Amino acid sequence: MIPRYSTPEMDAVWSDTSKFARWLEVELLATEGHAAVGVVPQKAATICRENAPVADDAFLQKILEREAITDHDVAAFVDVTQDAINDPAGSWIHYGLTSSDVGDTALCWAMRDAADLMIDASTELLEAMISLAHEHRDTVMIGRTHGIHAEPTTFGAKVALWALQIDRDRKRLRTARAAVAVMKLSGAVGTYSNIPPEVEQFVGDALGLAPVPATQVIARDRHAEFLYACSSVAATCELVAVELRHLQRTEVREVQEGFKPGQKGSSAMPHKRNPISAETISGLARIVRSNLLAGLQDIALWHERDISHSSVERVILPDSSQLAFYMMRRLRQLLAGLIVMPERMQANLDASYGLVFSQPVLLSLVQGGKTRDEAYRIVQRNAMQAWDEGTAFRTLLEADADVDNAVLDDAFDLRRSLSNLGRVFDQLDAIDV
């Protein structure tokens, strides 16, 4: 991931030094596991641990130099590790293992840690949304369908629905975490032909990863589930971002991203205050979603394995989790500084001449004895006239002989329109943050 969208927390999970540190720990635990079942001398396992290299930049450089010869990253890693430990103890490193035992176990370990960061970020974003929803529970605005005025709602209700969706994403992240918090040390085709299952269990217990049946590799539907959780988070963040972008348009101007001192919106036009955070989130969501397709294509491998998935995963797993994490952090920051304009929301609601109450009028006419189609036509002709002439909808209805004016007060009552929004907030308050 390019530095612009990376974070120190995710960098620490996915860096090459972190990867090789995980590989090293898997190898050392496997050696200790073998010692526990009497395969490896206990003294040799102790020496391996004591003489193990430090997983730092120098270690990384030695592996890269060795890989230039071996053309195989795990083999290069094993060579460098054994050289650091020295024989005879070093010869027990990688005993009975295949490359995917080490690589897949360490990769799942990294995905689990990445999932933990994303779960924490989703909780922080959820808390910000809940706070904003309650703050604007009664901030009335127009609801829009197809981009056209529909019926009244509140900004708080809108944000509450975002929060409920983020909470569902958090559940998906937790489920994905469970799916990838696994490991395997079962050898070349997963038959434990050269490694006892007890060694696998020993390593799994030490790492907090569950051993699972596998071929040479752990099944990639787990990785795809992880990528789906990232994609779902990204899609939700974009849902919010697109809405905020629309609401910040000059013609709407109901919300506005914060604008810090010294910030410039345009190099050419000094008046500009653009929704740059929301637009960035929308753009990054495209990358995360597209990575999911590649992850699904990685599921079908030849026989017990090939490496067509390997090059893909080196990109999409770090990038997707890094971007999902970044987007949640960026969105939380956006919401924390969001400027909400209640007066503008009210003005926009009033700008459609009261047409937002057309459905209550329709229903009141039906209750008064008219057929639905008769009522619809009466309301529609008055509504179209209001649009075309810029006349108050209620004024036209009051002058229409087919309309009983006695029902209009209730039909045009904003409190009636919003009286049941408490159900949304009941759901919101039921969330276990």
Side-chain angles (χ1 to χ4, degrees), residues 371-383:
T371 67
R372 183 178 179 88
D373 188 62
E374 288 175 331
Y376 193 100
R377 297 303 176 186
I378 294 168
V379 175
Q380 186 181 50
R381 72 169 181 252
N382 283 283

Side-chain angles (χ1 to χ4, degrees), residues 278-292:
E279 289 174 337
T280 297
I281 290 168
S282 288
L284 295 179
R286 299 168 189 169
I287 300 172
V288 183
R289 282 197 303 268
S290 66
N291 286 349
L292 173 59

Side-chain angles (χ1 to χ4, degrees), residues 313-376:
E313 290 173 355
R314 291 173 192 263
V315 177
I316 64 175
L317 292 175
D319 282 9
S320 291
S321 54
Q322 180 81 265
L323 289 177
F325 183 70
Y326 174 87
M327 291 166 68
M328 285 188 283
R329 285 281 184 88
R330 185 78 179 262
L331 181 55
R332 179 170 62 87
Q333 183 181 33
L334 190 168
L335 294 177
L338 189 70
I339 300 169
V340 180
M341 304 174 179
E343 297 82 5
R344 181 67 179 176
M345 291 177 173
Q346 183 66 53
N348 284 338
L349 189 152
D350 295 338
S352 51
Y353 315 111
L355 293 175
V356 297
F357 298 105
S358 69
Q359 183 173 195
V361 175
L362 164 67
L363 298 178
S364 69
L365 294 179
V366 171
Q367 289 175 344
K370 289 184 168 50
T371 67
R372 183 178 179 88
D373 188 62
E374 288 175 331
Y376 193 100

Side-chain angles (χ1 to χ4, degrees), residues 262-282:
Q263 184 175 341
K264 293 184 178 181
S266 167
S267 63
M269 296 169 283
H271 73 278
K272 296 281 279 179
R273 296 178 67 168
N274 302 326
I276 57 171
S277 289
E279 289 174 337
T280 297
I281 290 168
S282 288

Side-chain angles (χ1 to χ4, degrees), residues 26 96-106 184-188 195 216:
V26 171
L97 302 180
T98 189
S99 298
S100 293
D101 287 331
V102 179
D104 270 13
T105 296
K184 63 91 61 178
L185 293 183
S186 50
I195 183 169
Q216 190 170 102

Side-chain angles (χ1 to χ4, degrees), residues 103 141 214 329 394:
M141 66 181 299
R329 285 281 184 88
R394 179 163 182 170

